Amino acid sequence: MKLTHALPLTALVAAVSAAAQAQEITVATVNNNDMVIMQSLTDEFEQAYPGISVNWVVLEENVLRQRTTTDIATGGGQFDVMTIGTYEVPIWAERDWLVGLNGLPDAYQVDDLLRPVRDGLSRDGVLHALPFYGESSMLYYRQDLFDEHGIEMPEQPSWEEAREWASELHDPDNGLYGICLRGKPGWGENMAFVSTLVNTFGGRWFDEDWNPEIDSPEWQAAIEFYVDLLGNYGPPGASSNGFNENLALFSGGRCAMWVDATSAAGRLFDPSESDVAEALGFSQAPIAETPKGSHWLWSWALAIPATSQQQDAAQQFITWATSREYIELVGERHGWTSVPPGTRTSTYEDERYIEAAPFASFVLEAMENADPTDSTLKPSPYIGVQFAGIPEFQAIGTQVGQTIAAALTGQTTVEQALVSAQRSAERAMRQAGYYD
């Protein structure tokens, strides 16, 4: 009898011991659909790595940025994995805030990562974050409405054409708005879109001597156009709408057009998620004076802060969540339109994805053609399409985003908003030592 109970007792002790030694990692991420899917697959990771458990902190985009930036700048050590983007990675890596990802296993297939995305997450040739999904931006539109009104989408639409179409299709009495665009203030919310609009109107954030140009004629023209367009043909309360809010509006059939991230395409083409899946058209982001910088380049990535006490476990998690195997898992569980886009060449060579996602080659081309080193008509000293890759930009972009939102709501004029933003940016750059 003693022998019969010896094995179960030994197994029980071993299980208790393993549970006691289990490592818990805390992952901070954004409340986008792709990340929500990642969270839903926690059990798959914990079964594959039984010694690791995952604690999630899922936050709205602006809040996530604030929390992670504060935590890493103060050495708080609250998170083991942070969801950050192409803007933060090189800057934080230079400050030794992130763990360098040398020696990733061969099975991870680093060379399969799309080159523009990989380069954006590297410093001195070393990855400091792994891309969970990547994106550019493009124009989504209701093909059924365009057909009904005899509108033909050109290969490269202009913003003037987009305004004409918005005026023709705008029907607020029936809950349909001509166009939806980001209005929620934040350097990564409204300013991600507004920066590309300014680029294509011929503007830039800084001249070659780092003087802000926010009160320039190009900015004035772009922001007046934006405020007029959304004010006349956008939904009410546009200044509160970011990516998620506009995604809900467009997928619910409330917007005739929407210019935003290519990462929304999979959800919009999924009939279980979108009311417009069967009537969806897509085209390049509109242009004005120049095509330069008209569509952005971004990736949400998973990084390990240097303050993490669980770095090995954290690396196992981020390699799992950004692997080819993870993409396969999402494809099988949630459908191939739901797989994280814009990270791996193999995704765009997979017939299952190509068949399910008619936008695949279009998105890949948009990402490969976005050039963060040449995104403005006049030469600029910074790297970035929808941001300037300097530490000061986060505060400057947030402040400018708030003044643009105030102009959108009519609390101030466009001219007053830009003068105020210019002064604020000049003060920040002077305090940072860019000039006397």
Side-chain angles (χ1 to χ4, degrees):
M1 292 292 292
K2 288 182 181 178
L3 286 176
T4 346
H5 287 86
L7 279 175
L9 181 59
T10 305
L12 178 62
V13 170
V16 171
S17 174
Q21 295 173 8
Q23 295 175 288
E24 181 180 82
I25 59 171
T26 299
V27 179
T29 196
V30 67
N31 62 343
N32 289 351
N33 186 59
D34 293 277
M35 279 65 174
V36 171
I37 290 176
M38 175 171 61
Q39 185 184 12
S40 75
L41 295 171
T42 302
D43 287 348
E44 294 290 333
F45 172 76
E46 292 179 344
Q47 287 170 18
Y49 298 90
I52 305 172
S53 62
V54 183
N55 174 45
W56 291 91
V57 178
V58 183
L59 301 166
E60 186 269 332
E61 186 170 322
N62 287 337
V63 178
L64 173 76
R65 289 192 164 110
Q66 183 181 25
R67 287 273 300 274
T68 53
T69 301
T70 300
D71 185 75
I72 204 161
T74 60
Q78 184 180 355
F79 307 114
D80 300 294
V81 174
M82 289 180 170
T83 304
I84 59 177
T86 310
Y87 165 73
E88 294 98 340
V89 173
I91 296 171
W92 291 8
E94 184 178 7
R95 296 178 174 181
D96 296 322
W97 286 354
L98 302 176
V99 174
L101 301 173
N102 287 312
L104 291 168
D106 291 342
Y108 183 72
Q109 298 179 286
V110 170
D111 289 343
D112 187 42
L113 299 176
L114 294 176
R115 172 65 68 178
V117 174
R118 185 172 50 177
D119 288 349
L121 301 177
S122 300
R123 175 170 171 75
D124 297 330
V126 177
L127 277 164
H128 283 77
L130 300 180
F132 184 69
Y133 74 76
E135 63 185 33
S136 185
S137 53
M138 65 184 186
L139 168 63
Y140 301 100
Y141 63 97
R142 290 271 304 275
Q143 185 69 64
D144 56 337
L145 296 177
F146 272 58
D147 290 345
E148 183 182 324
H149 287 77
I151 303 170
E152 186 173 342
M153 178 64 70
E155 185 176 343
Q156 174 59 74
S158 72
W159 274 111
E160 280 300 328
E161 288 173 320
R163 176 158 58 185
E164 291 175 15
W165 301 331
S167 68
E168 189 170 348
L169 300 174
H170 190 57
D171 187 9
D173 291 341
N174 289 303
L176 177 68
Y177 309 105
I179 193 164
C180 290
L181 300 168
R182 296 191 189 192
K184 180 187 290 185
W187 71 265
E189 277 284 9
N190 63 343
M191 295 315 296
F193 166 75
V194 168
S195 293
T196 62
L197 186 68
V198 168
N199 290 340
T200 195
F201 269 77
R204 56 186 174 175
W205 277 96
F206 304 98
D207 69 15
E208 291 177 277
D209 295 318
W210 291 106
N211 296 297
E213 289 200 335
I214 301 167
D215 61 353
S216 67
E218 293 85 1
W219 271 80
Q220 184 81 25
I223 305 307
E224 283 182 350
F225 179 89
Y226 167 73
V227 169
D228 176 74
L229 181 64
L230 263 188
N232 286 317
Y233 311 119
S239 63
S240 298
N241 294 341
F243 172 81
N244 285 331
E245 292 80 6
N246 282 320
L247 174 60
L249 283 168
F250 189 88
S251 64
R254 308 290 299 280
C255 308
M257 293 180 289
W258 179 36
V259 179
D260 213 297
T262 57
S263 58
R267 197 166 180 185
L268 292 175
F269 268 94
D270 183 348
S272 68
E273 299 273 356
S274 170
D275 294 339
V276 297
E278 302 300 325
L280 184 63
F282 56 90
S283 185
Q284 298 183 67
I287 63 172
E289 299 300 319
T290 176
K292 281 191 174 184
S294 60
H295 55 280
W296 66 64
L297 179 67
W298 180 258
S299 67
W300 277 115
L302 303 178
I304 305 169
T307 50
S308 169
Q309 300 300 308
Q310 311 285 358
Q311 293 182 12
D312 289 342
Q315 182 162 320
Q316 287 181 309
F317 177 79
I318 69 173
T319 52
W320 170 82
T322 61
S323 65
R324 289 184 65 171
E325 290 72 21
Y326 176 85
I327 290 172
E328 181 88 20
L329 176 64
V330 175
E332 291 176 355
R333 293 288 184 84
H334 293 270
W336 281 92
T337 57
S338 297
V339 305
T343 60
R344 289 185 171 273
T345 301
S346 56
T347 302
Y348 294 89
E349 295 173 345
D350 193 309
E351 290 299 329
R352 294 168 296 180
Y353 184 63
I354 294 169
E355 183 178 349
F359 50 84
S361 60
F362 182 91
V363 171
L364 181 62
E365 183 179 357
M367 293 192 64
E368 291 179 335
N369 288 339
D371 187 355
T373 66
D374 185 22
S375 62
T376 55
L377 184 60
K378 299 175 185 175
S380 67
Y382 54 87
I383 293 175
V385 182
Q386 76 279 26
F387 59 81
I390 57 173
E392 295 74 23
F393 178 78
Q394 184 164 347
I396 292 172
T398 297
Q399 179 64 39
V400 176
Q402 290 168 350
T403 62
I404 299 298
L408 187 59
T409 59
Q411 295 174 3
T412 184
T413 66
V414 170
E415 184 177 2
Q416 290 169 335
L418 296 183
V419 167
S420 171
Q422 174 75 12
R423 289 175 182 163
S424 175
E426 287 174 348
R427 185 167 54 250
M429 295 298 280
R430 188 173 295 109
Q431 290 172 349
Y434 281 82
Y435 42 77
D436 296 329

